Amino acid sequence: MTDRRAHLAYLNRRRMLMGTAGFAAAAGTGVLPGRLLAQEPISVAGIYTVPVEQQWVSRIHKAAEAAKADGQITYTFSENTANTDYPRVMREYAESGAKLIVGEIFGVEQEAREVVLDYPDTAFLLGSSFMPDPAYPNLAVFDNYIQDASYLSGIIAGAMTESGNIGMVGGFPIPEVNRLMHAFMAGVREMTPEAEFQVSFIGSWFDPPKAKETAFAMIENGADLLYAERFGVSDAAQERDILAIGNVIDTQEEYPDTVVASAIWHFEPTLQAALAKVADGSFEADNYGVYSFMKHGGCSLAPLGTFEGKVPQAALDLVAEKEAAIKSGEFTVEIDDTEPTSS
């Protein structure tokens, strides 16, 4: 009991550092080969701390809706769930008979684990900053490890910037954001080794006006391209007639003259792997983050679309070379979870 209390105390300290905001974080479905074909639909419940339109959560919701349409699952969800209510909603869904509960517990790591222990027959697949722990055998964790696609989007950004001054606006400086920013910056330096970065975090997962104002300040400070980790950044880029790189979802349709490329997260491989384990009774504490890697179909670079023919061929050649090497295992994009800083 002493070790468990120490672990929970550590989780609580991390929650305090993060604040009480919940985490959040298009092409193809990325469904795993041999996709689960259950005789009876599996009851799935989603619990989200932000609207399902938000980038990160939208990818989970999209995958669940696809599985529902395919007859694999029944699906219900709660959005805009406050962290203070999150454990209660977990209990309600578990009590109602949900076989698999998905969501994100970045702001309630300790409390969620206490709930998990009370429902050993329910499978929990939850976004978390921590690795799986056998002390919570029915809790599997995941995250959007899309550093592969972020790196490739950085190569394109490095070829499109003229000043070499790039602005980057994030939500919170936690691993889930940091690793994508670092991968993007590494890609930029492949084309523009002397690039400089303005890095700022707005302290929110969904505050487009604040993200927009932060981006405006970076543009005033010389940035000619923005990394849009949050909603609102591409709006600033569009208004000031500069370029942007998207994250998690493809927003080029909304910003056809602004968003050059985006690193896309596909949650389908993660969900399908979990459903298969639930169906055969082998679900256990595991790290499902690996299913976000490009080699598993968990991420991709969005099509250039309106920017077809506008990106230098040297960058496109390098993207193709690196993408093939990533998929074959010959090249690995570094996972750096440390907080990035302005250069």
Side-chain angles (χ1 to χ4, degrees):
M1 291 298 292
T2 300
D3 290 343
R4 182 181 165 202
R5 289 196 186 97
H7 179 62
L8 291 178
Y10 171 65
L11 295 180
N12 191 49
R13 286 196 299 272
R14 180 180 174 84
R15 176 197 176 196
M16 292 175 64
L17 289 172
M18 286 175 55
T20 59
F23 186 73
T29 60
V31 176
L32 291 176
R35 177 173 47 80
L36 172 68
L37 294 175
Q39 291 184 346
E40 293 293 333
I42 295 172
S43 176
V44 177
I47 312 174
Y48 312 121
T49 61
V50 292
V52 292
E53 291 82 11
Q54 191 266 0
Q55 296 125 294
W56 197 88
V57 161
S58 72
R59 309 311 290 170
I60 304 172
H61 183 65
K62 176 179 179 291
E65 288 285 6
K68 176 184 175 181
D70 220 20
Q72 295 179 275
I73 67 173
T74 61
Y75 175 55
T76 185
F77 66 93
S78 297
E79 57 185 334
N80 292 314
T81 302
N83 282 322
T84 51
D85 287 336
Y86 208 95
R88 175 185 61 78
V89 178
M90 287 175 68
R91 292 183 184 279
E92 288 180 355
Y93 279 131
E95 294 283 354
S96 70
K99 295 299 182 183
L100 175 66
I101 294 176
V102 298
E104 13 92 30
I105 57 170
F106 299 96
V108 286
E109 298 276 5
Q110 174 185 343
E111 296 89 337
R113 282 169 172 76
E114 292 172 351
V115 174
V116 163
L117 290 177
D118 290 337
Y119 298 95
D121 295 329
T122 303
F124 293 86
L125 177 65
L126 301 172
S128 171
S129 296
F130 297 92
M131 289 294 102
D133 185 343
Y136 308 93
N138 56 325
L139 170 61
V141 297
F142 70 89
D143 207 348
N144 61 326
Y145 282 87
I146 63 170
Q147 65 281 343
D148 299 330
S150 295
Y151 169 80
L152 298 181
S153 72
I155 293 175
I156 292 176
M160 298 300 284
T161 179
E162 296 180 1
S163 68
N165 186 330
I166 295 177
M168 306 182 69
V169 181
F172 290 91
I174 64 174
E176 294 68 30
V177 175
N178 299 344
R179 71 175 68 105
L180 306 187
M181 285 188 164
H182 280 296
F184 171 81
M185 290 189 285
V188 169
R189 293 188 180 107
E190 294 282 6
M191 300 302 296
T192 308
E194 302 305 317
E196 296 182 348
F197 301 92
Q198 301 178 56
V199 181
S200 184
F201 299 93
I202 63 172
S204 173
W205 296 125
F206 195 73
D207 191 343
K210 188 172 184 180
K212 185 177 181 180
E213 288 302 317
T214 302
F216 277 147
M218 292 178 172
I219 297 170
E220 292 296 325
N221 199 34
D224 73 342
L225 187 146
L226 298 174
Y227 175 75
E229 199 272 329
R230 292 291 100 195
F231 278 151
V233 177
S234 293
D235 293 291
Q238 183 179 57
E239 289 187 23
R240 298 298 171 85
D241 197 26
I242 67 170
L243 302 177
I245 298 293
N247 179 59
V248 177
I249 62 175
D250 185 3
T251 57
Q252 192 182 80
E253 183 176 351
E254 291 77 24
Y255 308 95
D257 300 318
T258 302
V259 176
V260 184
S262 299
I264 308 301
W265 183 30
H266 305 293
F267 190 72
E268 287 81 359
T270 303
L271 180 60
Q272 291 297 322
L275 291 175
K277 295 292 186 180
V278 172
D280 67 19
S282 63
F283 189 90
E284 61 183 1
D286 204 352
N287 175 25
Y288 280 71
V290 296
Y291 293 107
S292 291
F293 285 27
M294 186 168 283
K295 64 182 179 181
H296 290 295
C299 67
S300 68
L301 189 64
L304 291 177
T306 54
F307 281 85
E308 195 73 46
K310 300 178 182 179
V311 177
Q313 190 60 45
L316 298 180
D317 292 343
L318 184 57
V319 166
E321 174 190 332
K322 293 295 187 180
E323 182 175 356
I326 289 169
K327 290 180 177 179
S328 69
E330 296 177 10
F331 176 72
T332 301
V333 176
E334 180 183 3
I335 297 176
D336 185 349
D337 288 346
T338 62
E339 181 177 344
T341 59
S342 298
S343 58

